[in-house]
Amino acid sequence: MRYFIELSYNGKNYHGWQIQPDAVSVQEKLNAAISTILQEKIEVVGAGRTDTGVHAAQMFAHFNTEKELEPAVVHKLNSILPNDITVSKVFLVDEEKHARFHAESRSYEYRIWLGRNPFLLDFSWQIHSQKLDLAKMNEAANMLLAYEDFQTFSKVKTDVYTFNCDVTAAFWKQEGSLLTFHISANRFLRNMVRAIVGTLVDVGLGKISTNDFREIIESKSRSNAGLSVPAKGLFLTHIKY
């Protein structure tokens, strides 16, 4: 039988989602907890990967077992998992359903706090004194919907079969001192959202124009784009099936 897990996590203490040698990952912690409860070796498959320090308000993963699970498995998992990882649901799905390959879209948010806030240091990038032109940033963000090749915003050394992504939403929204970038697409490249945000902030600061932003996209060169903003402000917020 195949089960899906819905979970969330604070990525501060993890080297991303995926298991890797000599580093602590969310996937590793989840595998260990489920394996302990079911008394068998379980390896979960995630809906995607988040990088070191990135958070997830919603993540899905699947695993197979011959055992029928009771609703109490959620409580048992949360009693074993670290406090910065929380399982909200475990549910039976069709045996062919795949957490990664059957995801239709993924949504991220990047959060910038305009000012200083000691309570949000782990969950936002704080810009203290510089002014941002939100209208220009939204004008540039809207341009992303007209393109499909995002090589410009990808890590240089990455093993992907294509740089094409179908971006269906990209916009900034401000609520008081909180400035949030929302973006949805069928898939994302490594470091893509953080590189886009860094380049859009350059637009907001007046370092580059919206026309420059367009040329940067079309250049397909990471060296032309802005900095990769800190991981702590990035959240995977929604996965659609």
Side-chain angles (χ1 to χ4, degrees), residues 40 96 183 193:
E40 62 178 295
E96 299 299 321
I183 186 167
V193 179

Side-chain angles (χ1 to χ4, degrees), residues 91-110:
F91 52 98
L92 188 66
V93 296
D94 184 89
E95 63 181 14
E96 299 299 321
K97 188 167 184 179
H98 197 285
R100 179 183 174 191
F101 298 140
H102 289 163
E104 296 177 6
S105 70
R106 298 157 176 84
S107 297
Y108 282 88
E109 291 181 5
Y110 193 88

Side-chain angles (χ1 to χ4, degrees), residues 5-232:
I5 304 174
E6 183 179 355
L7 69 149
S8 56
Y9 52 86
N10 175 344
K12 179 182 177 180
N13 296 320
Y14 301 99
H15 286 74
W17 162 264
Q18 189 173 22
I19 287 178
Q20 50 190 297
D22 304 318
V24 181
S25 70
V26 177
Q27 187 181 29
E28 172 194 338
K29 294 293 185 182
L30 194 57
N31 282 350
I34 299 173
S35 297
T36 297
I37 290 171
L38 298 185
Q39 293 295 293
E40 62 178 295
K41 185 177 181 181
I42 297 292
E43 295 183 357
V44 300
V45 177
R49 304 172 184 175
T50 53
D51 290 336
T52 299
V54 176
H55 315 293
Q58 183 183 61
M59 170 64 100
F60 287 96
H62 77 249
F63 67 94
N64 296 333
T65 180
E66 294 181 0
K67 298 174 181 176
E68 187 172 344
L69 304 185
E70 300 294 332
V73 70
V74 173
H75 174 74
K76 290 179 180 178
L77 282 171
N78 287 329
S79 68
I80 295 176
L81 286 165
N83 291 334
D84 49 13
I85 302 174
T86 299
V87 171
S88 54
K89 293 179 184 176
V90 177
F91 52 98
L92 188 66
V93 296
D94 184 89
E95 63 181 14
E96 299 299 321
K97 188 167 184 179
H98 197 285
R100 179 183 174 191
F101 298 140
H102 289 163
E104 296 177 6
S105 70
R106 298 157 176 84
S107 297
Y108 282 88
E109 291 181 5
Y110 193 88
R111 301 173 187 176
I112 295 175
W113 186 261
L114 302 173
R116 303 178 77 96
N117 188 324
F119 304 108
L120 295 178
L121 284 174
D122 292 336
F123 303 105
S124 64
W125 180 33
Q126 302 194 4
I127 297 180
H128 302 153
S129 57
Q130 295 164 301
K131 300 285 187 180
L132 296 174
D133 188 331
L134 185 59
K136 289 291 186 185
M137 290 165 70
N138 263 324
E139 182 183 341
N142 190 57
M143 293 178 181
L144 295 168
L145 278 64
Y147 292 89
E148 60 178 18
D149 188 324
F150 291 95
Q151 184 173 355
T152 291
F153 302 114
S154 173
K155 273 188 176 292
V156 176
K157 294 181 180 179
T158 184
D159 183 21
V160 294
Y161 65 91
T162 177
F163 292 102
N164 288 1
C165 306
D166 180 17
V167 176
T168 54
F171 62 92
W172 291 89
K173 185 176 181 181
Q174 184 171 356
E175 297 175 290
S177 296
L178 180 63
L179 183 59
T180 306
F181 178 60
H182 301 262
I183 186 167
S184 299
N186 64 328
R187 64 189 290 267
F188 287 89
L189 305 169
R190 286 193 64 198
N191 210 53
M192 176 175 162
V193 179
R194 292 163 60 195
I196 287 174
V197 170
T199 314
L200 289 173
V201 167
D202 282 348
V203 173
L205 292 172
K207 293 181 177 180
I208 61 174
S209 68
T210 51
N211 283 335
D212 291 334
F213 185 77
R214 187 188 304 278
E215 291 176 1
I216 287 169
I217 298 173
E218 294 176 355
S219 75
K220 301 182 183 181
S221 173
R222 178 66 184 91
S223 63
N224 291 331
L227 61 83
S228 177
V229 292
K232 61 184 180 178

